[in-house]
């Protein structure tokens, strides 16, 4: 599914060139099909630290990330925060109305300055009605996003905090990993507190688990970034299913 060709996104008059994210939504569509949704987008510039929307705000828009990174957060009633995902260029944030509720169930925080293409859900619905081939591909993408979320909860519930941390590191490697001679360097820099929010634990617990993985020779930390030295060991911790049962398109952060 990986595609490396350069594409043009059209929105509000100007065309923006970018490299396609092989895990992004565009890999589900032909160039002609994606052009249909690109024509519906209007541009939005979002600064780091701002929010595209907050949990509890009305839905009705989709957000296509042209550049930058966006963190999806979920808050609990007792004040705990969970990070659901970190999205990058080529990803789309979509939480459609389901007929029962019309508010966001999570917040979208901009991690670094981002260019966003915004699509009104009502405009997308017209596109889905008119083009059956596009509708099928869009449904395929939404089904995959459901599998991604389901697999994250599976790892968290079945294999405890160590397994959830191992799963998170594997997902980070699949999404932001750079293969080197000595291992997989994760280009995305996260604090231990942020890693803790991925798996619902404390920063101190993550510190202990990371130190344990370092002592075992499974990972190393260099200049604040994690390098995975033994991917097989991490997969064993979370009973990682072999491909194609869990391809990289599903096993992502």
């Amino acid at each position: 599914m990986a595609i490396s060709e350069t594409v043009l996104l059209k929105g509000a008059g100007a065309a923006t060139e970018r490299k396609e994210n092989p895990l992004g939504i565009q890999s589900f569509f032909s160039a002609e099909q994606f052009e249909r949704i690109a024509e519906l987008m209007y541009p939005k510039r979002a600064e780091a630290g701002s929010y595209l929307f907050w949990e509890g705000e009305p839905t009705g828009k989709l957000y296509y990330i042209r550049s930058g990174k966006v963190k999806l957060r979920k808050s609990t009633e007792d004040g705990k925060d969970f990070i659901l995902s970190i999205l990058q260029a080529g990803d789309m944030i979509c939480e459609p109305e389901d007929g029962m509720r019309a508010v966001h169930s999570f917040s979208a925080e901009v991690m670094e300055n981002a260019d966003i293409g915004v699509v009104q859900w009502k405009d997308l619905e017209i596109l889905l009605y008119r083009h059956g081939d596009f509708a099928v591909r869009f449904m395929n993408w939404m089904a995959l996003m459901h599998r991604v979320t389901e697999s994250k909860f599976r790892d968290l519930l079945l294999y405890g905090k160590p397994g959830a941390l191992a799963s998170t590191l594997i997902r980070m490697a699949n999404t932001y990993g750079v293969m080197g001679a000595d291992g997989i360097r994760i280009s995305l820099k996260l604090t231990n507190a942020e890693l803790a929010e991925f798996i619902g634990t404390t920063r101190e617990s993550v510190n202990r688990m990371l130190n344990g993985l370092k002592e075992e020779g499974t990972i190393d930390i260099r200049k604040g970034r994690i390098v995975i030295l033994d991917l097989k060991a991490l997969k064993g911790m979370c009973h990682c299913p072999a491909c194609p049962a869990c391809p990289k398109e599903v096993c992502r952060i």
Side-chain angles (χ1 to χ4, degrees), residues 75-252:
S75 299
T76 63
E77 292 183 357
D78 58 358
K80 292 182 180 180
D81 281 337
F82 290 86
I83 298 177
L84 302 178
S85 187
I86 294 179
L87 305 181
Q88 59 180 315
D91 289 325
M92 177 172 276
I93 305 170
C94 172
E95 194 172 15
E97 300 178 9
D98 58 11
M100 293 179 286
R101 56 178 289 158
V103 297
H104 287 289
S105 60
F106 54 82
S107 302
E109 178 187 356
V110 181
M111 295 181 64
E112 59 185 42
N113 292 344
D115 288 315
I116 307 294
V118 183
V119 179
Q120 297 286 345
W121 179 254
K122 60 183 180 181
D123 293 334
L124 180 66
E125 282 187 325
I126 295 174
L127 188 60
L128 295 172
Y129 287 139
R130 290 179 176 175
H131 301 280
D133 57 338
F134 178 90
V136 170
R137 296 293 183 90
F138 191 82
M139 288 173 60
N140 290 341
W141 172 76
M142 291 195 68
L144 179 68
M145 293 301 100
H146 177 73
R147 284 187 63 192
V148 171
T149 302
E150 184 181 70
S151 67
K152 289 179 181 179
F153 283 117
R154 175 202 65 200
D155 294 342
L156 179 60
L157 294 173
L158 296 183
Y159 306 118
K161 297 300 189 288
L165 177 60
S167 170
T168 299
L169 295 177
I170 294 170
R171 293 173 189 277
M172 290 174 64
N174 287 339
T175 313
Y176 295 102
V178 179
M179 181 64 71
D182 55 349
I184 304 172
R185 179 178 178 271
I186 298 175
S187 61
L188 179 66
K189 188 174 182 179
L190 294 178
T191 66
N192 289 356
E194 288 174 316
L195 281 174
E197 289 181 349
F198 268 109
I199 63 177
T201 190
T202 63
R203 178 179 58 83
E204 292 76 15
S205 294
V206 168
N207 288 345
R208 289 193 296 269
M209 288 188 285
L210 289 178
N211 287 333
L213 292 174
K214 285 180 62 179
E215 292 174 0
E216 295 168 2
T218 303
I219 68 167
D220 195 8
I221 299 178
R222 302 168 189 169
K223 297 181 179 180
R225 286 178 168 80
I226 296 174
V227 179
I228 297 176
L229 305 177
D230 190 347
L231 185 62
K232 185 177 180 180
L234 289 179
K235 289 183 175 182
M237 291 175 62
C238 59
H239 303 269
C240 186
C243 292
C246 185
K248 286 187 176 181
E249 290 79 11
V250 172
C251 188
R252 56 168 297 178

Side-chain angles (χ1 to χ4, degrees), residues 19-86:
K19 290 287 187 180
E20 183 183 344
N21 167 15
L23 302 182
I25 187 173
Q26 187 171 346
S27 60
F28 280 79
F29 299 98
S30 68
E32 180 182 356
Q33 289 170 336
F34 189 77
E35 178 76 9
R36 294 169 184 162
I37 191 171
E39 290 176 347
L40 299 178
M41 297 179 189
Y42 62 87
K44 176 182 177 64
R45 180 70 174 170
E47 296 183 354
S50 64
Y51 281 76
L52 296 178
F53 54 83
W54 291 87
E55 184 175 347
E57 289 186 348
T59 57
K61 297 177 182 177
L62 298 86
Y63 300 86
Y64 179 79
I65 305 172
R66 291 174 172 171
S67 66
K69 292 182 177 65
V70 176
K71 180 191 303 180
L72 304 186
R73 284 184 170 277
K74 173 70 177 177
S75 299
T76 63
E77 292 183 357
D78 58 358
K80 292 182 180 180
D81 281 337
F82 290 86
I83 298 177
L84 302 178
S85 187
I86 294 179

